[in-house]
Amino acid sequence: MNTQEVPGRAEFLSLLDAQFSIPVSDIQGIIREFHSEMQKGLAGNPGSLKMLPSFSARPKGTEKGSFLALDLGGTNLRVLAVELDGKGGSNVVAVSRFTIGKKAMQGTGNQLFDFIADSILEFFKDNAIDQNRKYDLSFTFSFPVEQTDIASGRLIEWTKDFTAKGVVGEDVVCLLNNALKRKRISCVNVAALVNDTVGTLASKCYSNPSCDLGVILGTGTNACYLEKLSNITKMKRKNANGEMIVNMEWGNFNKFVRTAYDADLDKASPNPGVQHMEKMVSGMYLGEITRMIICDLIRRGMLFSMIDHAFIFSKTGSFETQHMSIIASDGSSDLKNVEILLSEMGVESIKPDDKKNLKRICKLVSDRSATIVAAAISAVLTWMDPELKCRHIVGVDGSLFEKYPGYADEVNNVLFSLFEKKSSPIFLEPAKDGSGKGAAIIAAVATSTEISASLIDL
Ligand code: GLC
């Protein structure tokens, strides 16, 4: 490229706009690709959607009892005690949170599972839990797992920031039980192994039976939905009546066009080559994509006057999705909060254009994420109900959906542009604490004799 061809700032920003926008007219094609990947996954053929049977059915809302729940998959580990009233109501009666250190996340499997067992012991101590009783525990393990029944399954691969060695290919419930034995915890029975999406769907269904899709938009992204057993052709079973919740692992969908930033982010990640959609959508990555664009603009002399500002943003993780959230929430005419944030980061001589352009970049990245999510939701809903004749409640959990300013509205806007009047029976609703309450509901389904008997036929 000779110097005359180097784009100016305005032109470069327009190029970025074009690279990051997904026209509504392209979404129908994406939906078709989604359907084809879903089909492959359900048949057990290679593809980007794993479509993992959860061995859980839709809860009825009458499940009752007290359960422990263990939630592993984000930045914290949580241990909870949950009570279900059998009338669609649930209550977290005790909860302890533990920061997962690097050693547990990226060391050996034993380190990770010992940390989990130690945390359970601490939870017992902090909440004066009587260890002479027996407790059914639901293990929310938010990673791709090939389940063999409701309470066992092998980890297919780690996602997000987890890399603990010696866990891939192993039954994670066995690893947990071994750690419980090592720590002499004998009062816990692991009754269910649950993906966070499944917990989310269950927690919404518990009070609202028209929920048929559960979505996580947090550190990672994923969804599960209710599938007819007869469509899960890869499962060998005697009785193909009824439905089962399927964990799609949609974060691995790989048919969206990626930018050079996405490709670079993927290369530098702990799991290159996989989770393409997750890396374009979820909270763990949006800040990083934006940081890469910021660095590119600084290098080109198009953002911040001082080129040595590059070092402020040079480190991976130095600009986070939380920063984007602050920028997106600044609606003031002089973008005062953007200025405060940048000054705190060490940026000097900030010009009004810098603030505006930074806000524009954040919006590009977050809007693309919301558009992808809307496309994916549309794909699953039209798979279940091609003409969108029924009412669909989509239970959504995760900080991106809950806290990022304007994110949920953007997903709804895209759904509306796609389906126009037809989008009216689609409701995106926050589903709080699927990994705690929802997981307890799944444990209740699993321990109820009625359901266990029907699962034997599968
Ligand atoms: C990752 C995991 C998936 C989980 C999602 C949200 O995509 O692979 O199992 O549901 O993160 O936590």
Side-chain angles (χ1 to χ4, degrees):
M1 187 186 272
N2 66 40
T3 42
Q4 275 153 351
E5 283 171 335
V6 173
R9 183 168 68 179
E11 203 185 329
F12 188 75
L13 288 172
S14 305
L15 284 172
L16 277 181
D17 279 343
Q19 281 183 61
F20 277 83
S21 61
I22 302 173
V24 170
S25 53
D26 287 1
I27 296 184
Q28 287 306 339
I30 295 167
I31 291 177
R32 277 194 297 276
E33 303 222 61
F34 230 94
H35 287 175
S36 144
E37 295 297 290
M38 287 173 79
Q39 182 80 62
K40 287 188 217 160
L42 289 170
N45 294 328
S48 66
L49 294 175
K50 297 185 180 70
M51 310 299 285
L52 303 168
S54 70
F55 290 81
S56 301
R58 186 205 291 259
K60 296 194 175 98
T62 51
E63 295 76 12
K64 212 174 158 168
S66 303
F67 297 89
L68 295 182
L70 189 62
D71 173 18
L72 180 82
T75 37
N76 292 311
L77 169 78
R78 292 185 314 150
V79 190
L80 309 95
V82 182
E83 268 167 19
L84 307 174
D85 67 8
K87 294 181 226 142
S90 53
N91 202 8
V92 173
V93 288
V95 58
S96 300
R97 253 187 199 80
F98 304 89
T99 307
I100 310 171
K102 213 169 164 128
K103 216 164 73 185
M105 215 182 248
Q106 300 181 344
T108 65
N110 274 1
Q111 281 169 323
L112 173 62
F113 283 90
D114 280 347
F115 163 75
I116 296 175
D118 282 334
S119 304
I120 295 177
L121 278 178
E122 230 172 291
F123 166 82
F124 285 161
K125 212 166 69 204
D126 291 349
N127 298 286
I129 305 278
D130 176 6
Q131 290 188 53
N132 294 312
R133 279 186 49 194
K134 276 267 176 207
Y135 301 96
D136 283 323
L137 175 138
S138 195
F139 183 17
T140 302
F141 184 76
S142 306
F143 301 95
V145 167
E146 190 79 65
Q147 287 195 221
T148 39
D149 63 48
I150 184 64
S152 59
R154 290 178 206 289
L155 175 64
I156 299 171
E157 67 199 358
W158 283 119
T159 51
K160 298 173 279 194
D161 247 355
F162 283 70
T163 55
K165 284 174 258 330
V167 186
V168 171
E170 298 297 319
D171 182 334
V172 292
V173 175
C174 278
L175 296 182
L176 176 60
N177 279 330
N178 293 344
L180 294 176
K181 261 189 220 132
R182 285 198 292 277
K183 301 286 168 181
R184 298 198 160 72
I185 303 171
S186 55
C187 59
V188 168
N189 163 49
V190 184
L193 175 63
V194 182
N195 186 263
D196 52 355
T197 54
V198 177
T200 299
L201 177 56
S203 80
K204 198 75 211 171
C205 277
Y206 195 54
S207 54
N208 194 331
S210 17
C211 177
D212 47 14
L213 175 58
V215 174
I216 297 284
L217 287 167
T219 308
T221 185
N222 189 12
C224 71
Y225 71 106
L226 279 156
E227 181 57 281
K228 291 187 199 80
L229 279 168
S230 55
N231 283 347
I232 315 176
T233 48
K234 65 182 167 185
M235 275 178 89
K236 311 263 178 297
R237 68 204 161 255
K238 287 184 237 149
N239 177 359
N241 294 326
E243 291 175 331
M244 185 184 279
I245 304 174
V246 169
N247 165 17
M248 300 178 70
E249 289 292 326
W250 79 12
N252 195 47
F253 182 72
N254 60 8
K255 307 289 173 199
F256 286 101
V257 177
R258 296 188 306 159
T259 66
Y261 306 106
D262 299 306
D264 287 348
L265 179 145
D266 178 42
K267 257 188 244 146
S269 70
N271 54 351
V274 295
Q275 300 295 101
H276 282 181
M277 177 171 140
E278 180 158 83
K279 288 169 184 165
M280 298 166 90
V281 164
S282 76
M284 186 169 152
Y285 305 100
L286 294 188
E288 184 57 13
I289 300 170
T290 309
R291 183 192 71 82
M292 290 174 144
I293 305 175
I294 294 174
C295 288
D296 195 10
L297 285 172
I298 296 178
R299 227 176 9 247
R300 292 168 186 268
M302 295 176 181
L303 189 71
F304 310 134
S305 46
M306 288 188 260
I307 196 81
D308 59 354
H309 276 7
F311 84 92
I312 300 174
F313 299 96
S314 62
K315 222 171 126 212
T316 305
S318 57
F319 188 83
E320 296 175 4
T321 308
Q322 269 179 23
H323 296 134
M324 296 171 69
S325 231
I326 297 172
I327 292 167
S329 67
D330 188 349
S332 66
S333 55
D334 58 351
L335 297 177
K336 194 76 214 141
N337 289 337
V338 177
E339 180 147 1
I340 295 172
L341 174 75
L342 287 171
S343 318
E344 280 170 2
M345 292 180 136
V347 181
E348 291 164 26
S349 323
I350 306 156
K351 293 200 219 79
D353 265 1
D354 290 333
K355 294 186 276 183
K356 261 200 282 169
N357 289 332
L358 185 57
K359 192 167 163 119
R360 175 168 165 185
I361 298 160
C362 291
K363 188 157 163 53
L364 275 183
V365 175
S366 66
D367 279 0
R368 184 183 68 163
S369 159
T371 307
I372 291 176
V373 168
I377 289 176
S378 311
V380 189
L381 293 180
T382 53
W383 172 269
M384 290 189 277
D385 176 10
E387 299 300 317
L388 289 183
K389 287 205 171 110
C390 310
R391 177 186 157 88
H392 297 279
I393 306 268
V394 183
V396 193
D397 198 5
S399 49
L400 195 59
F401 183 77
E402 213 188 307
K403 299 201 181 124
Y404 196 98
Y407 190 93
D409 290 343
E410 191 54 31
V411 178
N412 277 315
N413 288 343
V414 179
L415 285 173
F416 189 77
S417 332
L418 258 177
F419 297 119
E420 297 186 350
K421 291 213 178 73
K422 266 197 189 165
S423 75
S424 56
I426 306 172
F427 300 94
L428 264 55
E429 292 186 2
K432 279 308 297 158
D433 203 6
S435 308
K437 291 178 184 176
I441 296 162
I442 297 291
V445 174
T447 49
S448 89
T449 44
E450 187 195 340
I451 296 293
S452 317
S454 74
L455 281 173
I456 291 168
D457 292 341
L458 295 174

